[in-house]
Amino acid sequence: MDADNAHRDIRIAVIGAGFGGLCAAMKLDERGYRNLTVYDRAPDVGGTWQANTYPGAACDAPSHLYSYSFDQDVDWSYRFAHGPEIQRYLGRCADRAGLRHRIRTDTEVTRADWDGGEWALTLGDGSVERADVLIPALGHLCVPVYPPLPGRADFAGDVFHTARWNHDVDLRGKSVAVIGTGSSAIQTIPAIADTVGKLTVFQRTAPYVMYKLDAPYTERTHRFYRRFGFARKFARGAIWGYFEFFNYAFWRFPGAMALLRRVHGRQLRKRVSDPALRAALTPDYAIGCKRILLSSDYYATLNRPDVDLVTEPITAITPKGVATATGTHEVDVIVFATGFETSEFLSSIEIGGRDGKTLREQWSERAAAYLGLAVPNFPNMFLIWGPNTNLGAGSIVSMIETQAEHIVRAVERIAESPGTTVEVTTEAYDAFLGEIRAREPKTIWAGCDNWYRDEHGNDIHNWPGSMRDYRNRTRRALTPHYRVTAPTATESHSASGSDVG
Ligand code: N01
C-alpha cells in the first residue's frame, strides 16, 4: 500500500500523556495521522513525572537513555535528571512536535467500549467520543496504594502518599515517619532529612541500594555534546549496553548477579559502620529480585542521629503515630512510600471489547497481551507499556519507542480502508503467553515477594528477556499474528500475506 494514499484521517485516541502516550502520538503524527487526541486526567503532560513531585524525585536510569532516541537535543543538568526537569523535557517534546492542541488535559476517560466497529470513549463528564483506534498508555504505576493498616483515618496529623505529595504541609522541624523503603522512599528520605526535626523510617524488607554515580553536567560537557553529536549517541549506546547486560543476567545467568551482591556488601560496609544498623540494612534475598535501587546518600542519611530505622512490623496507625508490637512511634506527619496498585492492569478504566467482554474479565486469571501490545477480542486496541514489558534494568523509554513503532505499522493497516480492523489472533496470544509462563520461573524475579506479581503469583509486569530481543520481535511482520479484516472482505493473512511490516 502506498503510504501517501492511506486513509490518514482515521480517529486515534491515546489515553495518557506520559512518556508512552506522547511517544505514540509523536510517531503517529510524524506519519501524518493528525486526527489524534491524547486524553489525560492530569492538568499537564508528564504522566508519572507530573504526579510524583515528592522531594528528591529523579530517574534511576541515566538521562541519555531515559529520553527519546529521536529527541536527544537536551542539556541535562545531571546524569540522572530530576523529576521537574524530566517533566519539562516531556512538555518541550510535546511543544516541538506541535502536539499541545491535541492533548486534552483534565479529561478523564472512565471507560472505552468496542461499539459497532469503533471505540466509544466515555469521559468523566459523561460525554462520549468515538475513535477508530484506541491506545491506552497508562503505565503500571499510576494508582497509589496504602497498606491495609487499621487506623489511618484516625491519625491526628498530616498523612499523604509520595505519589500525591502534599506541598502545603511544612515539614520544618516536624517529626516525620516514612513507611516503605522502595525507589520512592530512598529518594525522599535523604531529600527531607535536613528539613525535618526527626525522621523515622519503617522498613519491612531491606532493599539493595547501590551507589548512584550521579553528578551535574558542566557547561563544558554540554558544549562538547552539542558540538559532537556522535559522542552523545555513543554515550547513550554504552549505557544501553550496560543495562542490556543485566537484562540478560536477570533471566539467563542469575549466577552473574553474585558479583553485584558482593559489590553491594562492600558498599554497605563502607557506608554504615554500626554493625546492628548494617545487619538491619542487609537484604536477605537474591539481588535483582526486587528492583535494585540507586542512591549516593540513602545509607549516609540512615547513619544520622536524628534518623531512626524501625524494622518491627507496623500493627496500626494510631491518632498519635505508627504502632508496632512494642509501642507507638509518635509523629506529626506520616508519608506512605508504599508503592502502587500493580496486581490489576488498567484498573482505573473499564474497557469493553467485542461481545461486551471486558478486559477485566478477559484478564481474570492474569493480565496478558501479545508482546504486551494486543489482546484478542479488542480490535484496533494497542497498549503501551502493557503486561510483561517492564524492565528489571534499563530504560522503559526504549521499550515504549519500540511499541510505538509497532503500533504505527498496525495503524497503517487500519488506515488502508475505512472500517478495517487489526486484531491479534488467539493463537499468537496463547503462544506468547505460553512462552512467558515457561520463562517466568527461571527469572531472578521468581525468588521473592515483589510488586511484579499478581494475587495468583504470576509475574505480569516484567519482560523476561533483553531489550534487543523485544525490539526484534516487535519488528516482525504483523501477519500471521494479527487478523486484518477489511469491511467488505475478510482476509486472514497467512505468513505470505501482504504486510507493510
Ligand atoms: O514502591 P515499591 P515505590 N509496612 O512498591 C513497603 C518506580 N519508581 O513507589 O519491600 C512497611 O517499590 C514495601 O516493603 P516490601 C520503580 O519501578 C521509579 O518505591 O514490600 N512497609 C516497599 O519497601 C519502582 O520499582 C523511580 O516488604 C511496607 C515499599 O513500601 C516502582 O516505581 C522512582 C508496607 C513500596 O515500594 C515502585 O516504587 C520511584 C507495610 N505495611 C519509583 N507495605 C525512578 O527513579 C508496603 N511497604 C524512575
Side-chain angles (χ1 to χ4, degrees):
M1 169 95 192
D2 177 356
D4 293 337
N5 294 327
H7 175 67
R8 289 182 189 282
D9 204 32
I10 57 169
R11 301 156 300 171
I12 302 172
V14 179
I15 311 177
F19 260 108
L22 290 180
C23 184
M26 286 188 281
K27 296 248 176 209
L28 286 161
D29 177 78
E30 195 184 78
R31 297 288 297 179
Y33 294 96
R34 303 274 147 75
N35 196 353
L36 178 150
T37 306
V38 182
Y39 301 87
D40 201 305
R41 61 184 171 189
D44 198 358
V45 302
T48 194
W49 299 105
Q50 200 283 326
N52 284 271
T53 59
Y54 59 81
C59 63
D60 59 3
S63 299
H64 281 314
L65 191 63
Y66 194 77
S67 49
Y68 297 122
S69 63
F70 53 84
D71 201 331
Q72 286 288 302
D73 177 21
V74 49
D75 294 339
W76 295 109
S77 351
Y78 283 84
R79 282 189 198 150
F80 296 82
H82 296 182
E85 190 173 9
I86 302 172
Q87 157 85 6
R88 283 197 299 279
Y89 167 76
L90 286 171
R92 195 205 70 177
C93 289
D95 290 335
R96 277 190 179 179
L99 270 182
R100 282 279 186 183
H101 66 288
R102 282 185 243 137
I103 300 172
R104 288 178 49 192
T105 49
D106 290 313
T107 308
E108 184 169 20
V109 178
T110 56
R111 61 176 302 139
D113 295 278
W114 181 249
D115 174 22
E118 60 183 5
W119 284 101
L121 282 75
T122 306
L123 306 187
D125 63 3
S127 61
V128 175
E129 303 199 351
R130 294 184 178 270
D132 301 297
V133 178
L134 177 67
I135 305 176
L138 271 62
H140 301 210
L141 305 163
C142 50
V143 181
V145 85
Y146 293 87
L149 294 167
R152 179 160 57 92
D154 304 328
F155 180 60
D158 290 299
V159 54
F160 49 88
H161 194 282
T162 43
R164 299 288 181 271
W165 193 270
N166 186 345
H167 292 276
D168 294 336
V169 176
D170 185 355
L171 294 181
R172 275 177 297 179
K174 298 256 175 76
S175 173
V176 177
V178 175
I179 301 179
T181 51
S183 305
S184 306
I186 63 111
Q187 294 183 337
T188 302
I189 288 164
I192 62 173
D194 280 340
T195 309
V196 305
K198 178 156 178 39
L199 192 54
T200 310
V201 176
F202 290 84
Q203 170 190 282
R204 186 164 67 179
T205 313
Y208 283 95
V209 185
M210 305 296 294
Y211 194 78
K212 188 177 192 179
L213 291 167
D214 199 7
Y217 280 121
T218 60
E219 183 48 38
R220 206 168 147 196
T221 312
H222 287 151
R223 275 203 307 275
F224 175 76
Y225 277 138
R226 270 185 239 132
R227 184 148 179 223
F228 303 106
F230 69 87
R232 199 178 337 229
K233 270 195 189 148
F234 180 79
R236 186 180 157 84
I239 299 164
W240 192 87
Y242 173 80
F243 283 117
E244 190 68 328
F245 165 77
F246 286 104
N247 285 318
Y248 275 112
F250 280 147
W251 73 285
R252 283 242 171 110
F253 326 109
M257 303 301 286
L259 179 64
L260 199 61
R261 185 174 190 157
R262 280 213 291 279
V263 174
H264 172 264
R266 206 169 301 143
Q267 289 184 354
L268 188 58
R269 280 194 296 280
K270 186 171 166 196
R271 289 176 210 292
V272 180
S273 51
D274 174 10
L277 180 60
R278 203 165 58 228
L281 290 171
T282 303
D284 61 358
Y285 53 91
I287 189 165
C289 185
K290 287 174 187 275
R291 193 174 173 89
I292 299 171
L293 312 183
L294 297 182
S295 171
S296 43
D297 46 12
Y298 178 65
Y299 287 144
T301 303
L302 292 179
N303 279 329
R304 291 170 60 135
D306 54 353
V307 177
D308 280 347
L309 181 74
V310 176
T311 55
E312 271 189 320
I314 301 170
T315 51
I317 304 297
T318 71
K320 290 191 166 175
V322 181
T324 64
T326 53
T328 296
H329 298 262
E330 295 191 8
V331 291
D332 305 312
V333 180
I334 302 177
V335 176
F336 281 86
T338 43
F340 300 86
E341 161 51 52
T342 52
S343 59
E344 203 183 336
F345 256 87
L346 302 178
S347 59
S348 58
I349 172 172
E350 195 73 70
I351 302 185
R354 210 188 273 295
D355 306 325
K357 190 174 186 181
T358 66
L359 204 51
R360 213 179 293 276
E361 288 161 352
Q362 172 105 8
W363 284 348
S364 59
E365 281 183 26
R366 78 172 278 163
Y370 169 67
L371 293 174
L373 277 153
V375 184
N377 292 320
F378 294 82
N380 293 5
M381 181 186 87
F382 306 95
L383 307 168
I384 290 269
W385 198 19
N388 291 110
T389 62
N390 185 53
L391 289 173
S395 164
I396 193 60
V397 185
S398 303
M399 300 291 270
I400 283 170
E401 278 190 38
T402 301
Q403 290 167 351
E405 280 155 20
H406 184 95
I407 292 172
V408 168
R409 289 167 52 220
V411 168
E412 298 280 54
R413 293 305 305 261
I414 296 166
E416 284 177 5
S417 60
T420 298
T421 58
V422 169
E423 183 179 344
V424 70
T425 65
T426 307
E427 293 75 22
Y429 175 86
D430 287 345
F432 181 76
L433 182 54
E435 208 182 324
I436 294 285
R437 281 191 199 280
R439 285 188 188 187
E440 208 174 283
K442 298 179 202 150
T443 66
I444 194 93
W445 309 299
C448 74
D449 202 18
N450 49 42
W451 65 256
Y452 310 134
R453 310 235 212 140
D454 64 11
E455 73 264 31
H456 309 294
N458 303 304
D459 180 345
I460 57 169
H461 291 276
N462 285 339
W463 167 242
S466 64
M467 294 185 274
R468 184 195 176 92
D469 177 24
Y470 184 75
R471 189 176 60 194
N472 290 344
R473 296 179 66 149
T474 55
R475 286 181 177 174
R476 285 182 197 160
L478 297 179
T479 53
H481 315 292
Y482 288 90
R483 192 169 43 248
V484 181
T485 310
T488 47
T490 302
E491 9 160 6
S492 283
H493 289 277
S494 67
S496 60
S498 67
D499 191 273
V500 288

